[in-house]
């Protein structure tokens, strides 16, 4: 064989088994790091901030262990049959393997997992019958296309205040959410606080959630509802009791009558026919309530950061930002009018 053939047949350092093992280890660490990093955050069911979410996370880990046990059993049997003992087994041995590994083992493990899940279910979602809510704070949430109408109710069931795409709730207090929709099915889900609940037209579903620690969390629509389903999020801010009471009083006293130029243009161009701003003649019920809009972290149901430029952009072309949204385009308005209205809305706090 020629010398150059021998030279080319020699393995380089990068082709050695040890190098491949190192590369596989690095890839495994990278994948595990990415997986573990996704287990935390403001929208993670594995980073619970409430009793129900803690039970959901516990159930997930128990199911994971059970599934891993079955997987290890199957792979272990396969490894034994293909690597340890390759010669044929007797029919008696094969029958026992099928009985124990194919029937008894899976039935025992899956039965134990089912029993645990059924036992945990009442703790995860204690049922509250209509009329038996007791002293729970009540919030009515309506799934619109494609945003969330949020109404805080008083003790008699009347509307105390209305907002959109944001929920403020006190820490350590169980809150009863009444869920409904006027047109299509949605699904109300705050992963860090609890499980999902469908929002169905013509039906009121109820779910009671409690936050065990203060913070800001993200809720989403978990049921495909149209073109902007993925752009239908909301923010949940959990405050200490004193801070929540202060926010509630401030919100009840909110008044949008200041900013005469912006308010005048807002009313002149017909925006008040669809939107409400407390303390003004704008009393529309079709679109989101814009009272204290400037204090919200985002606009268009979590789609854009709440800045004056983004408000103006959404006024001009809402359909480009949220396909299928019911708000018409106002691109025909003079540029100065749009900027003035956007500045007025951003100043509503």
């Amino acid at each position: 064989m020629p010398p150059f053939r021998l030279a080319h047949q020699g393995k380089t350092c990068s082709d050695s088994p040890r190098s491949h093992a190192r590369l596989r280890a690095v890839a495994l660490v990278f994948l595990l790091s990415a997986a573990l990093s996704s287990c935390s955050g403001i929208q993670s069911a594995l980073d619970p901030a409430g009793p129900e979410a803690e039970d959901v996370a516990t159930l997930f880990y128990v199911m994971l262990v059970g599934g891993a046990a079955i997987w290890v059993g199957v792979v272990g049997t396969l490894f034994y049959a293909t690597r340890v003992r390759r010669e044929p087994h007797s029919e008696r041995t094969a029958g026992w393997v099928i009985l124990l590994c194919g029937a008894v083992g899976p039935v025992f493990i899956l039965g134990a997992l089912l029993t645990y899940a059924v036992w945990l279910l009442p703790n995860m979602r204690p049922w509250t019958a209509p009329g038996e809510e007791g002293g729970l704070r009540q919030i009515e949430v309506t799934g619109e296309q494609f945003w969330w109408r949020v109404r805080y109710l008083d003790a008699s069931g009347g509307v105390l205040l209305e907002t959109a795409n944001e929920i403020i709730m006190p820490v350590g207090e169980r809150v009863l959410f009444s869920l409904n929709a006027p047109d299509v099915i949605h699904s109300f889900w705050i992963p860090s606080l609890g499980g999902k609940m469908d929002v169905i037209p013509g039906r009121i579903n109820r779910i009671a959630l409690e936050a065990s620690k203060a913070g800001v969390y993200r809720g989403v629509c978990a049921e495909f509802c149209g073109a902007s389903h993925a752009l239908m999020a909301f923010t949940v801010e959990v405050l200490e009791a004193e801070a929540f009471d202060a926010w509630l009083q401030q919100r009840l006293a909110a008044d949008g009558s200041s900013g005469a130029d912006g308010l005048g243009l807002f009313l002149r161009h017909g925006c008040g026919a669809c939107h409400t701003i407390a303390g003004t003649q704008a009393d529309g019920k079709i679109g989101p309530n814009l009272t204290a809009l400037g204090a919200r972290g985002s606009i268009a149901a979590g789609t854009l950061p709440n800045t004056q430029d983004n408000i103006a952009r959404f006024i001009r072309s809402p359909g480009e930002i949220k396909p299928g949204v019911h708000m018409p385009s106002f691109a025909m308005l003079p540029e100065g009018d749009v900027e003035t209205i956007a500045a007025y809305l951003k100043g509503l706090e």
Side-chain angles (χ1 to χ4, degrees), residues 7-243:
H8 280 278
Q9 285 182 346
K11 293 183 178 179
T12 64
C13 181
S14 61
D15 292 333
S16 67
R18 183 174 298 177
S19 298
H20 286 304
R22 282 198 295 264
L23 289 175
R24 286 194 295 267
V26 170
L28 180 60
V29 170
F30 176 78
L31 291 175
L32 288 176
S33 300
L36 291 175
S37 65
S38 64
C39 294
S40 62
I42 62 174
Q43 190 186 325
S44 174
L46 301 181
D47 187 12
E52 180 174 324
E54 291 175 0
D55 288 339
V56 171
T58 300
L59 181 61
F60 167 78
Y61 289 121
V62 170
M63 292 289 184
L64 181 64
V65 171
I70 296 176
W71 182 84
V72 168
V74 172
V75 173
T77 303
L78 180 63
F79 181 82
Y80 175 79
T82 57
R83 297 288 184 177
V84 178
R85 185 177 176 181
R86 298 186 179 183
E87 64 270 17
H89 294 264
S90 66
E91 291 186 7
R92 179 182 177 85
T93 302
W96 277 108
V97 170
I98 293 173
L99 177 64
L100 295 177
C101 299
V104 176
V107 167
F108 175 78
I109 295 175
L110 295 177
L113 292 176
L114 177 61
T115 301
Y116 179 76
V118 172
W119 172 79
L120 190 64
L121 190 60
N123 297 327
M124 291 173 59
R125 185 158 294 176
W127 185 67
T128 304
E132 298 180 1
E133 294 86 356
L136 295 182
R137 189 182 303 276
Q138 298 184 51
I139 300 178
E140 179 185 278
V141 178
T142 303
E144 305 279 356
Q145 289 183 294
F146 300 92
W147 56 281
W148 302 91
R149 188 188 304 273
V150 181
R151 291 190 175 110
Y152 289 75
L153 307 182
D154 57 25
S156 62
V159 178
L160 190 63
L161 65 88
E162 180 177 325
T163 183
N165 304 318
E166 67 170 1
I167 295 173
I168 312 294
M169 55 187 291
V171 68
E173 180 180 334
R174 201 159 186 82
V175 177
L176 181 67
F177 292 91
S178 299
L179 310 173
N180 63 85
D183 36 39
V184 301
I185 297 176
H186 303 276
S187 189
F188 179 82
W189 188 27
I190 311 171
S192 296
L193 299 186
K196 308 171 187 176
M197 177 63 76
D198 282 348
V199 184
I200 303 173
R203 177 187 176 95
I204 297 178
N205 286 337
R206 292 177 172 83
I207 180 174
L209 297 174
E210 178 183 344
S212 56
K213 59 183 179 181
V216 178
Y217 309 101
R218 189 172 188 265
V220 294
C221 175
E223 179 81 22
F224 181 75
C225 55
S228 286
H229 159 69
L231 303 176
M232 188 176 171
F234 59 97
T235 301
V236 181
E237 185 173 1
V238 179
L239 303 175
E240 298 293 342
E242 297 79 5

Side-chain angles (χ1 to χ4, degrees), residues 273-322:
C274 293
H275 300 280
T276 291
I277 298 177
T280 73
Q281 296 177 346
D283 58 355
K285 306 299 182 185
I286 299 174
N289 189 305
L290 300 182
T291 304
L293 174 67
R296 301 175 194 171
S298 64
I299 62 170
T303 304
L304 296 173
N306 189 356
T307 65
Q308 181 177 328
D309 289 341
N310 283 336
I311 294 175
R313 180 183 164 197
F314 192 80
I315 292 172
R316 295 189 197 98
S317 303
E320 292 182 3
I321 298 171
K322 296 191 71 167

